Amino acid sequence: LDLLGSPDKKRKIIHVAGTNGKGSVCAFLSTMLEEGGYKCGLFTSPHLIKINERFQINEEMVSDEAFLRAFLKIKALADELVEAGDYHPTYFEFLFLMGMVIFDEADVDLLVLETGLGGRLDATNSIVSPLACVITSISLDHVEYLGDTIEKIAGEKAGIIKPGVPVIFDGNQEEAEKVIKNRAKELGCPYYEVKQASQKMTSYTPDGISFTYDSKIYGTIDLFIPFIAKYQMMNASLAVETMGVLKEVHKIEKETLKAGMEHTKWQGRMETVLPGVIVDGAHNEDGIAKFGGKIPANLKLPLRDGDIERPDDESYADSYFINCNSKDKPQIVDKNVQPILDRNEVYSGCYARVSISLYPFNTNGNKGIACGLGNIQKIADGEPLGGRTRAEDDFEAYDEEDDFLN
């Protein structure tokens, strides 16, 4: 960064770490800042379809031209380092440096920066003075790098905390809460914990969730998020609390923040890509548990006419989950779905050709939605591309060629 002219020191940065939810928090922050009239940069990972997605400005991924200019600049720098006997930047370090060049060239007003892995030793932690440090939920993931306990992982995530910089964090996990609080106190940082008890859902529809959040800054605030995942209430609350802590920096009115939140888009996180079909990038114990517990019995997920028969007055009361990360065959998370798999009524590998199993069913009195869980990369081919989803293309292909849907 120093060799690039310290572009991070020119930017107002919100730094976000955590095990699950950090990308969603970044998306909420970015759209609220954009709604407030700011030119906001967003650096996240991984990408779904195209690598440019990792670098967004006001929700638009950067152009190929901007990407190439940054690539060539970092490539030249990397070559110089190698020639001088230093090491070549890793893949993520290379992309992070490209991002700092891209956002500096675009002269963004604010930058929302998501860590790649951990925090303390993450490439993004080379920034010097962020506006705020945000830490989302902590759970066991990447234990070979971050440690095998919640406390150890929380310590790595808390490594992004800088002296005197406000810390906003998910305080629901007791072990993690203690670690983050202690680190904030050590560095003289004001800290703001957000807990589930501060949120109360008021309505739940296929279009999203309305809820109240008791903010330490704004008081009780009514919010709507365009997602059906209840865990997004926590992520949205973390983002709102962060905006409250920084209200003297951005000076955006509360109603404008709410409007921005209502427009947030974040692909692959309990996203309805087709009627009755939900995809999510859950890939660790906490993520799968949150996904698995958040499809309520009273939520009707409409299907297209002719897709599958279902009594109109009944909703799918149960949801079954299949781990699609297995190299051999899907691993059943709920044993009750095994008979359905045996009858080939759930088709592994058919959804968007990426080993995702998703199939609403109603057989022998068992009603539900069988959901395949993989990781963000595995659901990429189901995402919108050019105004249409690849999933729709595949569904039509199977319908025509193999009579798949019927």
Side-chain angles (χ1 to χ4, degrees), residues 214-279:
D214 296 329
S215 166
K216 295 178 177 63
I217 309 298
Y218 293 119
T220 301
I221 181 173
D222 295 313
L223 299 169
F224 173 81
I225 52 175
F227 303 101
I228 62 171
K230 290 183 181 179
Y231 62 74
Q232 290 290 16
M233 291 191 292
M234 171 57 64
N235 295 329
S237 299
L238 282 167
V240 167
E241 199 67 19
T242 301
M243 295 299 282
V245 171
L246 298 178
K247 66 179 183 178
E248 294 305 316
V249 176
H250 58 72
K251 302 186 185 301
I252 302 173
E253 294 295 328
K254 185 165 60 174
E255 292 304 312
T256 304
L257 298 179
K258 291 167 61 176
M261 181 160 286
E262 291 176 8
H263 301 152
T264 302
K265 298 180 180 66
W266 198 232
Q267 296 176 337
R269 281 73 172 182
M270 204 163 178
E271 178 188 11
T272 302
V273 293
L274 289 172
V277 179
I278 302 168
V279 296

Side-chain angles (χ1 to χ4, degrees), residues 255-317:
E255 292 304 312
T256 304
L257 298 179
K258 291 167 61 176
M261 181 160 286
E262 291 176 8
H263 301 152
T264 302
K265 298 180 180 66
W266 198 232
Q267 296 176 337
R269 281 73 172 182
M270 204 163 178
E271 178 188 11
T272 302
V273 293
L274 289 172
V277 179
I278 302 168
V279 296
D280 191 274
H283 59 281
N284 53 49
E285 182 177 351
D286 182 57
I288 291 173
K290 287 178 178 177
F291 182 87
K294 302 311 180 188
I295 303 178
N298 65 351
L299 179 65
K300 288 184 179 293
L301 296 168
L303 298 171
R304 295 181 299 186
D305 292 342
D307 279 1
I308 191 170
E309 292 184 4
R310 175 181 78 174
D312 291 336
D313 60 345
E314 293 187 62
S315 62
Y316 287 111

